């Protein structure tokens, strides 16, 4: 058994001297540097301190420095020689829900797509009935409204236990009326919300010059890709009749808006 740099027993990474200080420069056990990349001199994956060696002295600051050095080396080992990193981009269920809403609006919703999306949305539901906007996060109202409506489109009945928990969670937080504008625009496409109760987004915004405050080029590219089509939709105010009501998501169904 070998001594670790934090005083525990087990395998540890090596330490090298840098500017008079000791830093941890090793990769995690079993890891290897990316092709074309070399470790600092004297470092090796999974290398341990000699048998019986004592951990280097130091307080919280040195412990943090060692952890930062290990994290940096781990990231460098995963970097492509060209300079980039590859990783998963994970979003939340609003993307799947809005995809089903769009397909329903365009009249191209098919059973296979609906079944697959609904399966994923159900799997992501929290125990309290809500949906989060990031992994392990708290329930979020607008995401929950959109996920719920998507499951209704998939055929889940409102009295089903998982749906009843979701609708109760939504009502307890103000219902659809408290959801974000973007969510209510989606609902307005089906008559579940009145266009008159949404902010105006005139297409003429596109003609504002770049020097004018809040012109379209003041927004990031992803925001422009959203705002521009929304101005057209807002001007046209299309409505495709909804296949079912959403009274269960309103705190007062008699006055939903």
């Amino acid at each position: 058994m070998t001594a670790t740099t934090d005083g525990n027993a087990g395998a540890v990474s090596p330490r090298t001297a840098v500017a008079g200080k000791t830093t941890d420069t090793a990769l995690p056990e079993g890891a290897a540097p990316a092709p074309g990349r070399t470790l600092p001199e004297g470092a090796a994956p999974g290398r341990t301190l000699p048998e019986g060696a004592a951990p280097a002295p130091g307080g919280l600051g040195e412990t943090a420095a060692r952890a930062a050095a290990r994290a940096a080396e781990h990231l460098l080992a995963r970097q492509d020689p060209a300079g980039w990193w590859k990783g998963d981009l994970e979003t939340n269920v609003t993307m799947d829900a809005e995809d089903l809403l769009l397909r329903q609006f365009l009249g191209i919703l098919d059973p296979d797509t609906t079944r697959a999306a609904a399966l994923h949305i159900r799997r992501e539901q929290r125990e309290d009935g809500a949906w989060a906007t990031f992994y392990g996060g708290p329930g979020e109202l607008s995401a929950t409204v959109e996920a719920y409506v998507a499951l209704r489109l998939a055929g889940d009945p409102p009295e089903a236990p998982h749906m009843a928990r979701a609708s109760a969670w939504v009502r307890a937080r103000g219902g659809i009326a408290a959801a974000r504008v973007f969510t209510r625009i989606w609902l307005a496409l089906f008559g579940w919300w009145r266009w008159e109760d949404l902010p105006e987004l005139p297409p003429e915004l596109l003609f504002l010059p770049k020097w004018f405050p809040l012109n379209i080029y003041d927004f990031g590219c992803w925001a422009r890709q959203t705002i521009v089509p929304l101005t057209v939709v807002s001007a046209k105010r299309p409505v495709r009749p909804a296949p079912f009501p959403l009274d269960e998501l309103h705190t007062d169904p008699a006055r939903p808006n």
Side-chain angles (χ1 to χ4, degrees), residues 14-188:
R15 304 170 60 79
T16 57
V18 178
K21 297 183 179 180
T22 55
T23 58
D24 192 337
T25 59
L27 295 172
E29 186 73 29
R37 183 173 293 281
T38 59
L39 292 173
E41 184 177 354
R47 185 176 173 185
T48 62
L49 291 175
E51 186 73 28
L60 181 61
E62 186 173 345
T63 300
R66 293 199 303 268
R70 292 181 64 189
E73 193 59 50
H74 175 70
L75 291 175
L76 289 173
R78 298 175 64 89
Q79 186 181 22
D80 187 89
W84 48 264
W85 282 267
K86 179 180 179 180
D88 294 329
L89 176 61
E90 185 174 334
T91 183
N92 54 65
V93 297
T94 59
M95 297 295 100
D96 304 271
E98 291 166 9
D99 179 70
L100 292 188
L101 285 165
L102 179 60
R103 290 172 184 270
Q104 174 71 22
F105 181 80
L106 297 176
I108 60 172
L109 188 61
D110 64 275
D112 291 340
T113 300
T114 303
R115 189 181 308 109
L119 179 62
H120 172 67
I121 292 172
R122 293 189 201 100
R123 286 175 175 171
E124 296 298 313
Q125 188 177 21
R126 292 161 38 96
E127 290 186 3
D128 60 3
W131 279 266
T133 55
F134 58 91
Y135 180 78
E140 201 276 329
L141 178 60
S142 298
T144 301
V145 169
E146 294 182 24
Y148 178 92
V149 176
L151 291 183
R152 287 294 311 271
L153 289 175
D156 291 21
E159 62 272 12
H162 67 291
M163 298 293 280
R165 290 198 308 273
S167 60
W169 194 94
V170 169
R171 291 193 304 272
R173 286 153 183 81
I176 289 176
R180 61 178 180 167
V181 170
F182 194 56
T183 297
R184 286 182 281 133
I185 289 176
W186 276 108
L187 299 181

Side-chain angles (χ1 to χ4, degrees), residues 136-237:
E140 201 276 329
L141 178 60
S142 298
T144 301
V145 169
E146 294 182 24
Y148 178 92
V149 176
L151 291 183
R152 287 294 311 271
L153 289 175
D156 291 21
E159 62 272 12
H162 67 291
M163 298 293 280
R165 290 198 308 273
S167 60
W169 194 94
V170 169
R171 291 193 304 272
R173 286 153 183 81
I176 289 176
R180 61 178 180 167
V181 170
F182 194 56
T183 297
R184 286 182 281 133
I185 289 176
W186 276 108
L187 299 181
L189 292 172
F190 299 92
W192 286 317
W193 192 262
R194 290 194 298 260
W195 282 106
E196 292 79 7
D197 294 327
L198 288 168
E200 292 287 346
L201 289 171
E204 290 77 12
L205 287 173
L206 276 62
F207 295 116
L208 293 176
K210 291 184 178 180
W211 55 263
F212 196 87
L214 296 180
N215 73 84
I216 195 67
Y217 296 102
D218 278 348
F219 296 91
C221 63
W222 64 268
R224 290 199 299 272
Q225 294 167 3
T226 301
I227 293 173
V228 171
L230 279 181
T231 63
V232 178
V233 173
S234 178
K236 296 294 186 179
R237 297 185 173 185

